[in-house]
Amino acid sequence: MELRIQKSMEQLALWVERHDYKAYDPGDGQMSPLRQLAFGSFFLKRSLTAAVLRTPFNIRPLMGIQPHTSTKGMGYMAWGYTKLYASAGDNRHAERARFCLDWLIQHRASGHEHFCWGNHFDFTTRGGTIPAHEPTIVWSSLIGQSFLEAYHALGDAKYLEVAASVADWILTLPREPTPSGACLSYVAFKQSSIHNSNMLGAALLAKVGSVTKRTETLAVAKSAMQYSCSRLNHDGSWFYGEDPKYHWIDNFHTAYNLDSLKRYQESTGDREYDDQLKTGFDYFKKTFFEIDGRSRYYHDRVFPTDIQCAAQAVDTLSFFADVDDQSLALAQKVASWTIEHMQDPDGHFYYRDLDWIMIKTPMLHWGQGTMFKALAHLSSVQQKKRASAPAENSHKMNPESVSN
């Protein structure tokens, strides 16, 4: 199994590097020249975004959309390379991580005092339009985590400075105050209360606060976690957001929430939300996977099978392997199924299986970057477990040896 993970990961990295870190994004429809025909209409812009996203084959070349580099994709590639360097010590991984991180430093969102990132295209959904280059807390927090991990693995203080700057940007965001915590906004230009974005922001604030000893970041992180943890559903699920239009439950946003809460706990030592973490993780394990390892997108149906769900599931399950006995085996099963069914012979992972058709479009952050980081994470956990096995076996034999 470990050899299969290693081979898959190497083929994926080679594909990304051969393609100069360029591919597509599910929401990149408004990169098409046809955007001009929307004439600023919200309905037409949303329709264009949805048409490109939902067409069951890759129509982007026909619509003038070229492969492009994603900031979140580069963040995940950097994160994966950093994990490989930390576990294996291969300087080639360190060099690639630095390349991606330097690219991110150069391609931060312009016009902002602090480091932050977003899409390089307009993105229009039922929640509204996020303009091109407008930073989001999701992208900025995840990229910030990659800089934090690089700081610890590579020892370069500038990476901590970038992560601390991201935290400073998060502190400028609007917050929704409630009697049970305040929700960090998804974007800076309006209040948008979404659980995964709120918790991702809180996790970064907590980690930066623990390293820099800044009490303000820790206090804001605590309040944000209180908001989302107090709104966990009785069965252990989270809605995407509390507004009724956001009342769906899906795989990878749930995984973001769980990762964020665990990171918050590890950073702060605050165990107030242990019950929510356990209940939420138990719900995640029993809800979002088929018996053969196929990941489910939504809590109540199998299809679509989406590469982002599979990748984030492998990542999250690997992350919880130190606290849950079933987690590593499930991570390996999900990874094995996904490699078998969704990795092309050329190394890239397919976008989505609709049951009646496989959409093979290569996305950068949605699939390649997230899967690379996930497989690197799983590989590092497998390596640690293998390294600790002799000691564990020796410990198990000690009582028997004494009795003899």
Side-chain angles (χ1 to χ4, degrees):
M1 180 64 194
E2 288 186 49
L3 289 176
R4 188 180 199 190
I5 297 295
Q6 186 70 27
K7 181 180 178 181
S8 170
M9 185 170 54
E10 290 174 354
Q11 290 177 322
L12 173 56
L14 286 173
W15 187 94
V16 172
E17 291 160 13
R18 279 199 312 270
H19 288 80
D20 196 26
Y21 297 86
K22 293 180 180 178
Y24 298 106
D25 189 280
D28 60 12
Q30 291 187 67
M31 291 185 71
S32 170
L34 295 177
R35 180 180 181 275
Q36 300 175 26
L37 300 179
F39 300 108
S41 163
F42 173 79
F43 173 77
L44 292 177
K45 288 191 295 182
R46 182 181 173 188
S47 298
L48 178 59
T49 299
V52 174
L53 190 154
R54 300 192 182 283
T55 299
F57 56 91
N58 187 18
I59 64 171
R60 290 167 179 82
L62 299 175
M63 300 185 72
I65 301 172
Q66 300 298 317
H68 46 91
T69 304
S70 156
T71 53
K72 190 175 175 185
M74 292 296 273
Y76 269 102
M77 292 302 298
W79 208 341
Y81 288 132
T82 300
K83 282 195 170 294
L84 292 177
Y85 172 73
S87 62
D90 189 332
N91 283 327
R92 292 175 299 176
H93 298 315
E95 291 170 4
R96 290 180 173 89
R98 290 189 182 97
F99 168 79
C100 295
L101 294 166
D102 288 345
W103 186 95
L104 286 162
I105 290 172
Q106 295 165 12
H107 291 82
R108 59 189 285 188
S110 60
H112 295 268
E113 178 183 358
H114 304 296
F115 277 91
C116 48
W117 295 269
N119 287 316
H120 50 286
F121 48 82
D122 283 5
F123 183 55
T124 304
T125 66
R126 74 183 81 178
T129 294
I130 301 178
H133 308 294
E134 180 69 32
T136 73
I137 192 173
V138 172
W139 290 50
S140 300
S141 297
L142 288 166
I143 292 170
Q145 290 287 355
S146 73
F147 275 95
L148 280 172
E149 189 141 344
Y151 163 68
H152 289 293
L154 303 176
D156 192 329
K158 75 177 180 181
Y159 298 146
L160 176 59
E161 293 171 4
V162 172
S165 180
V166 176
D168 287 337
W169 177 76
I170 292 173
L171 292 175
T172 70
L173 293 173
R175 299 171 211 164
E176 178 193 356
T178 77
S180 53
C183 186
L184 295 160
S185 181
Y186 194 109
V187 290
F189 60 87
K190 66 175 182 178
Q191 177 63 44
S192 179
S193 297
I194 304 296
H195 285 302
N196 80 91
S197 58
N198 174 58
M199 296 175 81
L200 286 166
L204 185 77
L205 291 177
K207 183 64 175 178
V208 169
S210 70
V211 174
T212 63
K213 311 303 181 186
R214 290 183 56 189
T215 56
E216 181 186 6
T217 62
L218 293 172
V220 174
K222 170 76 173 182
S223 180
M225 280 298 173
Q226 181 188 11
Y227 173 90
S228 289
C229 289
S230 66
R231 289 164 174 81
L232 182 73
N233 296 322
H234 292 302
D235 62 358
S237 65
W238 272 283
F239 291 128
Y240 178 71
E242 291 303 301
D243 189 305
K245 69 182 178 182
Y246 296 138
H247 277 195
W248 72 79
I249 302 165
D250 70 59
N251 183 321
F252 75 97
H253 288 117
T254 300
Y256 280 166
N257 297 347
L258 293 167
D259 280 3
S260 297
L261 181 51
K262 186 170 186 284
R263 287 197 175 98
Y264 169 82
Q265 287 189 337
E266 292 176 349
S267 298
T268 65
D270 181 0
R271 314 299 300 189
E272 181 175 350
Y273 306 116
D274 270 351
D275 288 345
Q276 287 88 339
L277 186 65
K278 183 181 186 306
T279 303
F281 189 63
D282 286 345
Y283 177 87
F284 178 71
K285 287 189 300 179
K286 74 181 183 182
T287 302
F288 291 111
F289 307 99
E290 297 295 290
I291 191 67
D292 60 358
R294 180 195 289 267
S295 59
R296 307 173 71 180
Y297 196 112
Y298 296 105
H299 73 293
D300 56 356
R301 57 187 183 272
V302 176
F303 292 98
T305 302
D306 189 278
I307 192 60
Q308 181 79 351
C309 294
Q312 189 55 52
V314 171
D315 197 15
T316 296
L317 292 165
S318 299
F319 188 35
F320 276 75
D322 63 336
V323 295
D324 183 271
D325 291 339
Q326 303 170 346
S327 196
L328 180 58
L330 184 53
Q332 292 174 153
K333 180 183 285 190
V334 175
S336 181
W337 187 95
T338 308
I339 291 167
E340 176 69 24
H341 294 89
M342 297 190 76
Q343 188 169 24
D344 192 89
D346 70 4
H348 89 276
F349 280 85
Y350 303 144
Y351 166 49
R352 187 172 277 186
D353 180 3
L354 300 180
D355 189 21
W356 60 278
I357 190 172
M358 180 75 76
I359 305 176
K360 299 184 177 183
T361 308
M363 310 292 180
L364 184 61
H365 100 260
W366 197 286
Q368 315 321 314
T370 46
M371 201 67 196
F372 178 68
K373 189 258 182 168
L375 293 176
H377 195 173
L378 175 56
S379 178
S380 68
V381 172
Q382 289 174 325
Q383 183 173 325
K384 287 178 184 177
K385 185 175 180 63
R386 185 174 66 252
S388 65
E392 291 176 357
N393 290 339
S394 175
H395 175 72
K396 291 175 182 177
M397 291 172 64
N398 281 341
E400 189 174 307
S401 300
V402 171
S403 66
N404 289 336

